[in-house]
Amino acid sequence: MDKITFTQPDDWHLHVRNGAILKTVIAHSARQFGRAIIMPNLKPPVTNVNEALTYRQEILAALPAGSTFKPLMTLYLTDNTTATEVKKAAESEHVYAFKLYPAGATTNSDSGVSNLEHIFPTLEQMEKHQLPLLIHGEVTEERYDIFDREKIFLEQKLSRIVQRFPDLRIVVEHLTTEEAVKFVETASNRVAATITPQHLMFNRNAMLAGGLRPHHYCLPILKREHHRQALVKAATSGNPKFFLGTDSAPHPTHLKENACGCAGCYSAHAALELYAEVFERENALDKLEGFASFHGADFYRLPRNSKTVTLQKNTWRVPAYYGHDDFRITPLKAQETLNWKLVD
C-alpha cells in the first residue's frame, strides 16, 4: 500500500501556547486536523469561560487564511473552580471539557489541584452537566519514582474518581504504561484514553541510552519497552476507547537544550505521518482511521468530520527546526527521514 485516504482526523490533546509560539505552530495542526482539544496550561492558566473565549479568538486570528480548523477549548481545573463556572462552561458552545493537572505534574501545572477531595464538589457538577474530565494521570509526591507515577495515580486516585462519579466521562491523557491500558480496557465505556506518537515509537532508551536526548523528554516520561508494546497493541486494536492525542508541546530549542530542560515533544509538524509509521509496522493501517478520526469524535459526542486527508508513501527529511534563527522549535525526528507524507 503506497497511499491511504481516510476521514480527516482530530487531535484530542494539543498544546499551541500563545503569542509567538502559537503563530509559529498552529498551521501545522490546522493542515492535518479538523479540530483539536486545546490545553489550558498557559501562564496564567485558562481557568474560566471568558479567558477561554479570549484564547480561542487568539488561536483563530493566528490560523492561515481560509482554514476551517476548529479549536475546542478546555478549562484548567483548580481547587477553587466553582459550580457556577462549571455551569457556564456547559452552556458555552466553545468549551468542551475541564483539564485536571495534579499540582506540579508538568509544564505550567503549579496552579493545579493539590488534593482530589478539594474538587469532588466540582466533579459532581461536571458529572451533572455532562462535561468530560481530562486527566494528567500522575502523582507528584517526591517519594514516588518518576517511572511509577502513572501506575500509582491509577491505584490511589483515578480508581476513586471512577468509583465515586460513575457517570462522569473521563479521558486518561497520554497513556504510558501497560497498567493504564488495562485500567481503561476494564473500566466502563465512560473512560477512554489518548495515546501520543512518542509513546508509541519510543521507550526510555531513546531518551537515556548513549547520552541524554532532551527532545525525547516528556511527561509522563517514556517507559520500558513492554509498556510501549502494550500501547501499540491498544492503539492498533480497533478498541474505540483509545484515540489520537498528540500532546504536541512546542518549546523553544534553547529551553529544551538547557541545564533544566522543559518537558514536551513537538510532533504537530508530522503527526499523521508518525502515527502512520507505527500502524504500518503493525500491519494495521486499516485501523488508523478509527483511531485518528472516529473514536475521539464519538466519545466527545461530536459529528465525525466530512472531509478526507491522504497520506502517500514518499520519503522526506524532517527539518532541523521550525521558526527562525532567533526563535527555533526542534521537532520530533528532526533531520531524520519519514516514509509517509501528507498530500496537500
Side-chain angles (χ1 to χ4, degrees), residues 1 42 44 101 174 201 271 340:
M1 183 181 297
L42 303 182
Y101 292 101
H174 42 46
M201 292 187 297
W340 288 93

Side-chain angles (χ1 to χ4, degrees), residues 97-169:
F98 278 83
K99 179 62 182 277
L100 167 59
Y101 292 101
T106 188
T107 303
N108 300 346
S109 64
D110 293 343
S111 301
V113 173
S114 63
N115 187 316
L116 274 184
E117 293 184 359
H118 293 170
I119 63 165
F120 278 178
T122 306
L123 298 182
E124 185 177 358
Q125 291 301 309
M126 290 171 57
E127 184 179 42
K128 173 184 174 182
H129 291 287
Q130 290 294 297
L131 273 171
L133 173 67
L134 317 182
I135 295 180
H136 181 115
E138 292 190 288
V139 294
T140 57
E141 293 92 332
E142 289 187 4
R143 68 180 183 274
Y144 296 124
D145 188 283
I146 192 170
F147 291 101
D148 297 329
R149 290 180 177 180
E150 181 177 90
K151 177 177 178 290
I152 294 168
F153 184 90
L154 298 173
E155 296 169 350
Q156 296 185 359
K157 312 291 185 180
L158 187 54
S159 57
R160 290 175 60 203
I161 295 175
V162 170
Q163 184 176 14
R164 188 176 179 108
F165 304 99
D167 293 326
L168 179 64
R169 282 184 291 150

Side-chain angles (χ1 to χ4, degrees), residues 67-336:
S67 174
T68 59
F69 176 81
K70 184 177 180 181
L72 310 178
M73 309 311 293
T74 64
L75 299 187
Y76 188 112
L77 195 59
T78 75
D79 292 340
N80 302 312
T81 301
T82 65
T84 300
E85 202 61 46
V86 174
K87 186 173 184 295
K88 286 177 64 177
E91 292 171 348
S92 171
E93 62 179 314
H94 300 303
V95 177
Y96 288 84
F98 278 83
K99 179 62 182 277
L100 167 59
Y101 292 101
T106 188
T107 303
N108 300 346
S109 64
D110 293 343
S111 301
V113 173
S114 63
N115 187 316
L116 274 184
E117 293 184 359
H118 293 170
I119 63 165
F120 278 178
T122 306
L123 298 182
E124 185 177 358
Q125 291 301 309
M126 290 171 57
E127 184 179 42
K128 173 184 174 182
H129 291 287
Q130 290 294 297
L131 273 171
L133 173 67
L134 317 182
I135 295 180
H136 181 115
E138 292 190 288
V139 294
T140 57
E141 293 92 332
E142 289 187 4
R143 68 180 183 274
Y144 296 124
D145 188 283
I146 192 170
F147 291 101
D148 297 329
R149 290 180 177 180
E150 181 177 90
K151 177 177 178 290
I152 294 168
F153 184 90
L154 298 173
E155 296 169 350
Q156 296 185 359
K157 312 291 185 180
L158 187 54
S159 57
R160 290 175 60 203
I161 295 175
V162 170
Q163 184 176 14
R164 188 176 179 108
F165 304 99
D167 293 326
L168 179 64
R169 282 184 291 150
I170 297 171
V171 180
V172 188
E173 306 268 39
H174 42 46
L175 292 193
T176 67
T177 60
E178 185 176 11
E179 291 86 357
V181 169
K182 291 178 180 177
F183 185 99
V184 173
E185 286 177 338
T186 57
S188 77
N189 289 334
R190 293 183 178 272
V191 179
T194 58
I195 307 178
T196 76
Q198 65 265 25
H199 291 108
L200 291 173
M201 292 187 297
F202 305 128
N203 61 37
R204 63 188 188 180
N205 287 350
M207 180 180 59
L208 298 171
L212 293 173
R213 295 178 174 85
H215 298 290
H216 290 166
Y217 172 55
C218 58
L219 290 172
I221 202 162
L222 298 173
K223 304 297 196 302
R224 291 180 181 272
E225 174 62 11
H226 73 90
H227 293 300
R228 188 195 69 81
Q229 292 177 6
L231 297 175
V232 170
K233 183 178 179 180
T236 59
S237 68
N239 188 331
K241 287 183 163 220
F242 302 101
F243 42 87
L244 185 155
T246 64
D247 193 22
S248 180
H251 295 283
T253 298
H254 73 277
L255 295 182
K256 290 288 290 179
E257 300 172 0
N258 190 284
C260 187
C262 47
C265 298
Y266 184 66
S267 60
H269 65 294
L272 292 184
E273 291 94 333
L274 295 171
Y275 282 111
E277 297 217 347
V278 173
F279 277 69
E280 183 182 34
R281 284 199 297 269
E282 299 300 309
N283 295 314
L285 282 173
D286 60 316
K287 298 292 197 302
L288 180 59
E289 184 176 42
F291 176 80
S293 310
F294 295 162
H295 301 167
D298 294 348
F299 185 84
Y300 276 88
R301 302 174 180 172
L302 294 172
R304 296 173 178 180
N305 293 319
S306 57
K307 296 181 180 179
T308 61
V309 296
T310 297
L311 289 169
Q312 187 163 5
K313 262 296 183 60
N314 185 8
T315 59
W316 61 287
R317 190 172 177 82
V318 177
Y321 64 90
Y322 290 98
H324 47 76
D325 287 343
D326 295 328
F327 181 80
R328 298 185 177 189
I329 296 172
T330 300
L332 207 59
K333 291 278 190 174
Q335 296 184 289
E336 296 185 42

Side-chain angles (χ1 to χ4, degrees), residues 10-56:
D10 303 297
D11 188 344
W12 299 102
H13 185 157
L14 179 65
H15 300 267
V16 293
R17 312 302 186 204
N18 53 358
I21 293 181
L22 168 63
K23 294 175 182 177
T24 300
V25 304
I26 190 61
H28 286 156
S29 293
R31 177 173 173 255
Q32 301 171 72
F33 298 109
R35 300 165 290 203
I37 284 284
I38 305 297
M39 292 295 103
N41 58 331
L42 303 182
K43 289 185 177 180
V46 179
T47 59
N48 62 59
V49 172
N50 289 339
E51 291 169 351
L53 297 180
T54 299
Y55 185 27
R56 178 177 179 272

